Amino acid sequence: MMMANRERLLLAARELFLEQGYDASVDAIIGRAEVARQTFYNHFKNKESLFAEVVRDCFLDVLAPLNGHTDNLQQSLMSFAEIYRQRVLNPESIAAYRILSGQALRFPDLVREVYALGTGQMTERLADFLRKAMDEGHIRHADPVFAAELLLAMAVGQERSQRLFGIPCREEDEQLKIKQVVDGFLRMFAS
Amino acid sequence: MMMANRERLLLAARELFLEQGYDASVDAIIGRAEVARQTFYNHFKNKESLFAEVVRDCFLDVLAPLNGHTDNLQQSLMSFAEIYRQRVLNPESIAAYRILSGQALRFPDLVREVYALGTGQMTERLADFLRKAMDEGHIRHADPVFAAELLLAMAVGQERSQRLFGIPCREEDEQLKIKQVVDGFLRMFAS
DNA sequence: CTTAGATTAGACTATCCAGTCTAGTTTTGT
DNA sequence: ACAAAACTAGACTGGATAGTCTAATCTAAG
């Protein structure tokens, strides 16, 4: 059962880090995991290494799928944008973003790594997809990375900031917003 | 000279909070301000009230000017976007964003207030401007708040995230990027 | 000059925290 | 069954921190 305790610690730490940030104490974590102090240090070198492991997990959940077909751009991009928004705007992702950006000075390498695994990879994927669509003449030729970053930014709009800062968002028609964004994007890059 | 010490404390606290977040210690702050411990507590009830005051200052610096003329939309929006980017992406603003979002759970009211003063007001101004442009037929009618939030998001793109996470940004032609964003935006909302 | 308010240095309390260590108990593999 | 590994509770160290308090010094106004 060695793994059971390790998993309990990871789960408890994930919850507490997301709630309280890196300041969540080791005492609190072992308390929630219902595990002895020594057990914690059997499984992890120190608090930092536990944090690194938790954070790596969290940010892999951001990756949104993108079907490779460029024949129906509007539909592909809309379903991509919808899933991306879900992944990126849910409370857990927001908390992870908050904590990670807050620790960017303390753990610069970890934070860069995790960003590369999440948003970085997502940008690359989308850029590849858009490059293909450009080559096939569905949209105008332009820097695909620029276009990808632009679409990602448009898809989340100000909502990430609002959620990060605890601003109550006016509820809106999710689908309509996504359609407006994608249609607008396609009009920007119409060939 | 009573005010001198207060100002020294505010300045030192601003520097240290931006560097180290809310964890910057009172000792460090009075040390940098070269002021005695008791003096600190003469001027501020506690650390939290100093933090609130510092943070309110920082976020007022975000407001970007927007000339009221809708006759040359491209030019107005480009100069607006340029200044907005400068204000929002400079290292101090990034640090402020990091700290503020990190303290959103601890000081929810303060954080909401400061967001409303900064980005919130900026969104309103831009939305008013766009509404006017819509009414005058320069761009298509649409929800002006949605359009404003979209333009703000497009103007910063992924760069805020990259800077928050310490990702080295590929240097690009600032002006070209701004032009592409504004032109794209105008094509989206062409009447 | 005198006095009141501001300032100084620094001691002090009370709390919290990460990480180590001890000693006794349970689980696991063989 | 037995030994090794894992676990438990909890004490302990060393260090940091916010805020209070004291007593001495400085400054400015009357």
Side-chain angles (χ1 to χ4, degrees):
Chain A
M1 299 300 109
M2 214 185 98
M3 264 311 160
N5 279 333
R6 200 170 198 281
E7 299 306 326
R8 295 164 69 89
L9 281 165
L10 281 170
L11 180 61
R14 178 177 181 132
E15 292 170 5
L16 284 168
F17 281 142
L18 287 178
E19 280 170 28
Q20 307 173 20
Y22 187 69
D23 291 342
S25 72
V26 173
D27 274 331
I29 292 169
I30 63 178
R32 179 167 303 199
E34 292 177 295
V35 137
R37 197 167 191 72
Q38 185 58 43
T39 304
F40 173 93
Y41 288 98
N42 284 346
H43 289 289
F44 300 94
K45 185 176 159 242
N46 50 28
K47 185 179 169 183
E48 176 179 342
S49 71
L50 169 65
F51 181 70
E53 202 160 322
V54 166
V55 138
R56 265 182 268 259
D57 284 353
C58 287
F59 258 65
L60 290 185
D61 296 349
V62 171
L63 293 176
L66 181 60
N67 85 50
H69 307 304
T70 54
D71 50 336
N72 188 341
L73 264 187
Q74 197 218 26
Q75 192 209 303
S76 291
L77 292 180
M78 276 185 63
S79 80
F80 168 78
E82 182 178 359
I83 295 171
Y84 178 68
R85 278 175 57 87
Q86 278 170 14
R87 301 270 170 102
V88 135
L89 294 178
N90 77 324
E92 190 164 310
S93 294
I94 292 295
Y97 191 99
R98 213 189 326 251
I99 290 149
L100 217 59
S101 72
Q103 300 303 323
L105 300 177
R106 201 184 329 206
F107 308 121
D109 297 332
L110 171 66
V111 170
R112 264 197 297 273
E113 175 199 330
V114 166
Y115 182 89
L117 290 178
T119 306
Q121 231 177 74
M122 176 102 313
T123 306
E124 285 172 33
R125 275 197 215 171
L126 179 57
D128 288 343
F129 178 84
L130 293 175
R131 185 181 297 109
K132 192 172 156 212
M134 289 170 185
D135 289 344
E136 294 173 359
H138 297 110
I139 50 176
R140 168 158 21 121
H141 260 290
D143 178 354
V145 174
F146 169 73
E149 288 180 344
L150 196 60
L151 180 56
L152 292 180
M154 290 167 68
V156 301
Q158 297 298 117
E159 286 171 76
R160 175 186 276 149
S161 288
Q162 286 165 357
R163 285 173 156 81
L164 282 170
F165 286 72
I167 312 295
C169 289
R170 38 176 200 159
E171 77 305 320
E172 296 169 40
D173 185 338
E174 185 82 3
Q175 284 300 322
L176 176 61
K177 172 174 255 178
I178 290 170
K179 184 172 177 346
Q180 286 176 318
V181 162
V182 168
D183 286 351
F185 177 81
L186 290 176
R187 195 169 313 131
M188 275 183 70
F189 288 92
S191 32
Chain B
M1 298 303 107
M2 218 186 94
M3 263 313 160
N5 279 332
R6 200 171 199 281
E7 299 307 325
R8 294 163 71 87
L9 280 165
L10 281 169
L11 180 61
R14 177 178 182 133
E15 292 170 6
L16 284 168
F17 281 142
L18 288 177
E19 281 170 27
Q20 307 174 20
Y22 188 70
D23 290 342
S25 72
V26 173
D27 273 332
I29 292 168
I30 63 179
R32 180 168 302 199
E34 292 177 295
V35 138
R37 196 167 190 74
Q38 185 57 42
T39 304
F40 173 92
Y41 288 98
N42 284 346
H43 289 289
F44 301 94
K45 184 175 161 246
N46 51 29
K47 184 179 170 183
E48 176 179 342
S49 72
L50 170 65
F51 181 70
E53 202 160 322
V54 166
V55 140
R56 265 182 266 259
D57 285 352
C58 287
F59 258 66
L60 290 184
D61 296 349
V62 170
L63 293 176
L66 182 61
N67 84 51
H69 307 305
T70 54
D71 49 335
N72 189 340
L73 265 188
Q74 197 219 25
Q75 191 210 304
S76 292
L77 292 180
M78 277 186 63
S79 81
F80 168 78
E82 182 179 359
I83 295 171
Y84 178 68
R85 278 175 57 88
Q86 279 170 13
R87 301 271 171 98
V88 135
L89 294 177
N90 77 321
E92 190 164 311
S93 293
I94 292 295
Y97 191 99
R98 211 184 333 245
I99 290 149
L100 217 58
S101 72
Q103 300 303 321
L105 300 178
R106 204 188 320 213
F107 308 122
D109 297 331
L110 171 66
V111 170
R112 266 197 297 273
E113 176 199 331
V114 165
Y115 182 90
L117 289 177
T119 306
Q121 230 176 77
M122 177 102 309
T123 307
E124 285 173 34
R125 275 196 213 173
L126 180 56
D128 287 343
F129 178 84
L130 294 175
R131 186 181 296 110
K132 193 172 156 210
M134 290 169 185
D135 289 343
E136 294 173 0
H138 297 109
I139 50 177
R140 168 158 21 120
H141 261 289
D143 178 355
V145 174
F146 169 73
E149 288 180 342
L150 196 60
L151 180 57
L152 292 179
M154 291 167 68
V156 302
Q158 297 297 115
E159 286 172 75
R160 176 186 274 147
S161 288
Q162 286 165 356
R163 284 174 157 81
L164 281 170
F165 286 73
I167 312 294
C169 289
R170 39 176 201 160
E171 78 305 317
E172 296 170 39
D173 185 337
E174 185 83 2
Q175 284 300 322
L176 176 61
K177 170 175 257 179
I178 290 170
K179 184 172 179 343
Q180 286 175 317
V181 162
V182 168
D183 286 351
F185 177 80
L186 290 176
R187 195 168 312 129
M188 274 183 69
F189 288 91
S191 32

